[in-house]
Amino acid sequence: MESVVSSLDRISSVLVEAEELLALAAEEDDEGTFADVGKEVQTVSTEVEKLEFRRMFAGSMDDHD
């Protein structure tokens, strides 16, 4: 449970930072920063997918065939 909460906190923090960087990149029309933010969001998306998968198969017998 602690690892899930830690992951969610980190995801939230990354998304807040990404939002701020995106706003700055839009003001300065900085394509490099747009690309960096896109990579970060993709990484977070992958992590969210892993958390969703863990949630779906979290029962006591889910690791058995």
Side-chain angles (χ1 to χ4, degrees), residues 1 6 14 18 20 25-26 32 35 37-38 43 45 47-48 51 59 62-64:
M1 182 68 109
S6 175
V14 168
E20 292 170 0
V37 170
T43 300
S45 177
E47 191 168 343
V48 168
L51 286 171
D62 282 338
D63 61 349
H64 295 73

Side-chain angles (χ1 to χ4, degrees), residues 46-64:
T46 301
E47 191 168 343
V48 168
E49 288 172 6
K50 288 178 184 177
L51 286 171
E52 288 176 342
F53 186 80
R54 282 181 52 190
R55 181 192 55 83
M56 289 187 318
F57 297 104
S60 62
M61 297 300 288
D62 282 338
D63 61 349
H64 295 73

Side-chain angles (χ1 to χ4, degrees), residues 10-24 37 40:
R10 192 188 75 68
I11 288 169
S12 176
S13 175
V14 168
L15 290 176
V16 167
E17 290 174 15
E19 183 180 21
E20 292 170 0
L21 282 174
L22 191 60
L24 289 172
V37 170
E40 282 294 319

